[in-house]
């Protein structure tokens, strides 16, 4: 299958363009370095390859190494039919620097090049038109003005790609361009001045907002408020959704049990299914709220500012502002957060960040925290219900994980064990334009986060709930104290008794070694077997009782 390569600088709308061309749903965000691996999709009989963003052929980060290595490999491959360079219309000069390098490389291998002038809707907002015909003539390759967000020019661009990649539309070869960096910089600067919008017009609103958000006093205060809002929303704003899920589970349980009557099957459905799995499902809305708020911060462009604000304090702990985004992502899941750390240029800081990411409180711990906070902390509210005491304690639990990770980072940065990973890389971060969120991909990402959490944790929790129910139900048909599980629990009881916990909590803690969120389902099953049938789905009330 013939291949089309899609390349460009980071945070230029490249991944969103890839989604529009292939119909896939790869993650996109208004932050450089979101695409840290190679993605492929089908486009009209061609394989479209989305490579990580790069600023130059002279690489600094691991993802740039991957991109340049793959580009060089693909250029020497006869199956590569076309190279598509994605240009950021709002950052034309920096986009052209990389694009001209790619054009010179493609010319050496006799490959066709097409330029996609993306984010053109931003130009239309300020009333600036770029003469794509003249720009195309000067570059010697076709230039198409598109907006992957508003779909402006996408249909025409697709038709042109089909014709060019299929060899039905000849492309004039550009004049041989020297790959010397200084000559490419000069030409990019000249073309950006001729065709691009003036920087003072493009950055007028951005600079005005940045003067407040990046100020050492107002910016720091705003950052703390945003982070407090993030964790407060997990508990406060997700409560109505959690109440709805809980009511729905209780209603379904009551209806199902009314059709079955008494017996072992009814006990299993009530205690294991609704008591165990149902208690876990109540906390899924909090995962979705966390994903929504982080997505809003990404798409708006604030996340890059937060990384810049955090650079100075984080540098004291031996890491950089680029570690902020992996740390924040770790509150959803540690695995993609560790992958996101690949965008950190310094090998030493990258390694320290990856080693300390698991200390953050990921979403698997969120149901456990939420359950314990709901049981032990009163739901006192302040400021008309905008702030709750439970949310404050919840924020404190997450803050403890962050502080722990920073302390370990400080120790690692001072350790001689990492002397071979000395950092000589500067902290470089391009601040993206402020933009409204891409609502459709964002909502899809929120829904997918809930589904993924259920699919990943649900089968484990169901299996554990079944095992606990069987051990807790037999041999006395529902007498938990005299069951096999009761025997095991009383055997380990001396370990947990000094902590003030009875054997049921000890069993749930042991089960949580399989997966953290199993703790909630295990307690739900245990308390269901123990006769707390009147609170199906409301595990917090059972524990308080």
């Amino acid at each position: 299958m013939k291949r089309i390569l899609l390349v460009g600088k980071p945070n230029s709308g490249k991944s969103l363009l890839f989604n529009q061309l292939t119909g896939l749903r790869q993650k996109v965000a208004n932050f450089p370095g979101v695409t840290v691996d190679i993605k492929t999709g089908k486009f009209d009989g061609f394989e479209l390859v989305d490579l990580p963003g790069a600023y130059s052929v002279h690489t600094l980060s691991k993802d740039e190494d991957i991109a340049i290595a793959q580009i060089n490999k693909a250029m020497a491959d006869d199956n590569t039919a076309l190279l598509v360079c994605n240009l950021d219309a709002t950052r034309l000069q920096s986009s052209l620097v990389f694009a001209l390098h790619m054009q010179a490389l493609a010319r050496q291998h006799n490959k066709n090049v097409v330029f996609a002038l993306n984010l053109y809707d931003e130009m239309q907002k300020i009333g600036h038109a770029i003469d794509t015909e003249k720009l195309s003539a000067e570059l010697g390759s076709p230039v198409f003005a598109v907006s992957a967000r508003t779909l402006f020019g996408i249909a025409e661009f697709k038709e042109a790609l089909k014709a060019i990649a299929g060899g039905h539309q000849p492309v004039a070869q550009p004049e041989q361009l020297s790959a010397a960096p200084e000559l490419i910089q000069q030409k990019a600067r000249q073309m950006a001045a001729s065709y691009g919008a003036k920087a003072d017009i493009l950055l007028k609103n951005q600079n005005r907002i940045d003067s407040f958000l990046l100020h050492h006093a107002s910016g720091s205060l705003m950052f703390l408020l945003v982070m407090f809002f993030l964790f407060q929303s997990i508990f406060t704003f997700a409560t109505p959704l959690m109440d709805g899920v809980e009511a729905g589970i209780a209603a379904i349980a009551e209806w199902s049990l009314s059709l079955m009557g008494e017996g072992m099957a009814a006990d299993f459905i009530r205690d294991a299914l609704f008591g165990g799995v149902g208690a876990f499902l109540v906390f899924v809305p909090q995962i979705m709220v966390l994903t929504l708020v982080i997505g809003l911060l990404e798409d708006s462009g604030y996340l890059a500012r937060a990384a810049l604000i955090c650079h100075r304090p984080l540098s004291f702990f031996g890491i950089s502002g680029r570690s902020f985004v992996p740390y924040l992502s770790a509150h959803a899941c540690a695995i993609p957060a560790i992958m996101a750390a690949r965008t950190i240029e310094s090998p030493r800081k990258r390694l320290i960040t990856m080693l300390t990411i698991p200390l953050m409180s990921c979403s698997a711990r969120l149901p456990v925290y939420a359950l314990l906070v709901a049981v032990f902390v009163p739901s006192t509210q302040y400021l008309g219900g905008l702030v709750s005491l439970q949310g404050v304690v919840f924020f404190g639990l997450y803050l403890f994980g962050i502080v722990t990770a920073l302390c370990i980072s400080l120790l690692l940065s001072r350790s001689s064990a990492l002397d071979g990973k000395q950092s000589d890389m500067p902290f470089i971060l391009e601040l993206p334009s402020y933009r409204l969120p891409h609502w459709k991909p964002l909502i899809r990402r929120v829904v997918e986060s809930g589904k993924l959490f259920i699919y990943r944790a649900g089968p484990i929790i169901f299996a554990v709930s079944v095992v606990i129910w069987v051990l807790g139900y037999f041999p006395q048909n529902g007498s938990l104290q005299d069951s096999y599980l009761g025997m095991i629990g009383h055997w380990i009881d001396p370990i947990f008794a000094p902590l003030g916990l009875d054997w049921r909590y000890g069993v749930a803690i042991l089960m949580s070694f399989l997966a953290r969120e199993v703790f909630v389902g295990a307690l739900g099953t245990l308390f269901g077997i123990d006769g707390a049938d009147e609170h199906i789905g409301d595990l917090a009330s059972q524990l308080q009782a």
Side-chain angles (χ1 to χ4, degrees), residues 385-409:
L386 294 177
V387 177
S388 72
L389 182 59
Q390 291 178 331
V392 173
V393 175
F394 202 86
F395 175 71
L397 288 171
Y398 273 80
L399 185 62
F400 180 75
I402 296 170
V403 171
T404 304
L406 292 177
C407 291
I408 300 299
S409 297

Side-chain angles (χ1 to χ4, degrees), residues 122-162:
E122 300 289 337
M123 295 291 99
Q124 293 173 323
K125 287 179 182 178
I126 63 173
H128 181 82
I130 296 178
D131 193 331
T132 55
E133 292 186 4
K134 289 185 178 181
L135 181 58
S136 175
E138 188 164 346
L139 285 170
S141 299
V143 178
F144 297 90
V146 299
S147 171
R149 179 185 176 187
T150 65
L151 300 183
F152 171 81
I154 292 295
E156 296 83 353
F157 184 58
K158 286 182 177 179
E159 294 301 320
L161 281 187
K162 294 175 187 178

Side-chain angles (χ1 to χ4, degrees), residues 1-4 41-48 77 79-80:
M1 181 182 293
K2 290 291 185 179
R3 185 184 303 113
I4 300 175
K42 296 287 184 65
F43 170 72
D44 193 54
F46 294 92
E47 181 185 34
L48 185 63
D77 190 346
N79 285 328
T80 301

